[in-house]
Amino acid sequence: MDKSLIEHCRKISDIEHTIDELYRDAVGRLFETNDAVNIIKLKDIYEAIETASDRCLDVADVIEDIVLKYT
């Protein structure tokens, strides 16, 4: 079971790195338009998603640390 938890935590890390790349690409594409209202709205949404993925990674890191400490 411990190995499975660690694998899930590492998968979360991989997903978070993918989200970081997608976030950078999406924000870059936003500024190819001149629609300021849409830019502001979507940028806020993208930032919220990216922040949520960062917090998920933080949780995964803590879980992995606990598993490694107590196994």
Side-chain angles (χ1 to χ4, degrees), residues 46-65:
Y46 295 163
E47 286 175 352
I49 293 169
E50 204 281 326
T51 299
S53 75
D54 287 343
R55 298 301 74 82
C56 290
L57 179 58
D58 292 343
V59 171
D61 287 343
V62 169
I63 291 170
E64 185 174 358
D65 290 345

Side-chain angles (χ1 to χ4, degrees), residues 13-54:
S13 178
D14 293 341
I15 292 168
E16 196 279 331
H17 291 299
T18 300
I19 291 171
D20 285 343
E21 292 172 17
L22 292 170
Y23 168 75
R24 285 189 295 273
D25 291 344
V27 170
R29 282 194 308 274
L30 272 180
F31 291 98
E32 294 173 359
T33 69
N34 293 325
D35 184 356
V37 173
N38 200 39
I39 290 171
I40 292 168
K41 284 186 209 177
L42 289 175
K43 189 170 182 291
D44 286 347
I45 292 168
Y46 295 163
E47 286 175 352
I49 293 169
E50 204 281 326
T51 299
S53 75
D54 287 343

